[in-house]
Amino acid sequence: MAEPKKPILRRRKRVAGDAGTARVTEPQKPKRRRRPAGPIVPVWRVAGGEPAPPRIQLTLTDQDISRFLEKIDPPNIDGCTLWNASKFAGGYGQFKLKGRSVLAHRVAWTLQHGTIPDDLVLDHVYLRGCRSKACVNTAHLELVTQEENARRRDAAERWRTSVWVSTELDEG
């Protein structure tokens, strides 16, 4: 005669000091690995890494253009025409084109001026009044190298953090 199968039980864990009793515990989930702190830097931006992959060429249909123009607000007091649809985490506008998310200001530049060379990036020019990453006004954009864009970004950040705001009333 075959022995009856034993039911599957949860793991039992002995409680310290209680030799005769056991406490039933749930199986533990494996711990998730956390992402390393700090920004994730693509390989081609690390010194000595691979060159940047070529950008996709933006080819827009009439339907894409009309969808794009629906998502732009009229110019504000600074002259910025802001993107009013979804944005990437950094605040730049994103536009869905052929199943991929692309930067909205790159689409605006392509509509106005044509393709963007692979070795250049678009800079939101702070001196032209552009203070928003969501701006798609091509008058506020300029083609520059990545190094120049980083230099301008750092200079603008130094200027913004050096401005002191006085909360006291002027005497006089």
Side-chain angles (χ1 to χ4, degrees):
M1 185 165 156
E3 292 182 29
K5 290 187 176 182
K6 294 181 182 177
I8 299 173
L9 300 175
R10 296 184 189 135
R11 277 193 266 167
R12 295 183 178 269
K13 183 177 179 183
R14 297 245 178 231
V15 179
D18 242 355
T21 61
R23 181 176 54 187
V24 175
T25 59
E26 293 294 325
Q28 294 181 347
K29 291 183 186 176
K31 291 188 177 183
R32 290 179 54 191
R33 290 182 53 176
R34 294 186 59 112
R35 195 167 57 103
I40 296 175
V41 181
V43 173
W44 59 85
R45 294 211 180 148
V46 177
E50 300 172 12
R55 293 192 189 115
I56 61 165
Q57 293 299 320
L58 301 177
T59 53
L60 302 165
T61 64
D62 291 336
Q63 184 181 6
D64 293 333
I65 294 169
S66 63
R67 273 190 322 114
F68 180 80
L69 295 175
E70 290 172 356
K71 300 172 191 237
I72 299 174
D73 285 337
N76 63 12
I77 195 164
D78 294 328
C80 290
T81 51
L82 299 178
W83 183 253
N84 64 14
S86 66
K87 296 180 179 81
F88 286 107
Y92 291 98
Q94 75 177 1
F95 182 66
K96 206 70 147 170
L97 188 63
K98 294 183 180 80
R100 291 184 67 173
S101 294
V102 294
L103 293 167
H105 63 280
R106 291 180 54 82
V107 175
W109 182 272
T110 303
L111 282 174
Q112 188 85 22
H113 301 286
T115 60
I116 300 169
D118 282 341
D119 58 336
L120 298 177
V121 296
L122 287 172
D123 179 30
H124 287 87
V125 182
Y126 192 74
L127 296 176
R128 294 184 188 165
C130 189
R131 290 172 173 78
S132 175
K133 295 176 182 179
C135 179
V136 293
N137 184 352
T138 56
H140 291 180
L141 301 172
E142 185 177 344
L143 282 173
V144 296
T145 63
Q146 180 63 45
E147 292 79 22
E148 176 66 15
N149 192 19
R151 188 188 64 75
R152 289 180 181 184
R153 180 199 61 223
D154 295 343
E157 187 62 32
R158 279 194 304 274
W159 182 83
R160 277 191 293 256
T161 57
S162 68
V163 175
W164 289 83
V165 178
S166 176
T167 57
E168 299 177 12
L169 296 174
D170 289 339
E171 295 181 23

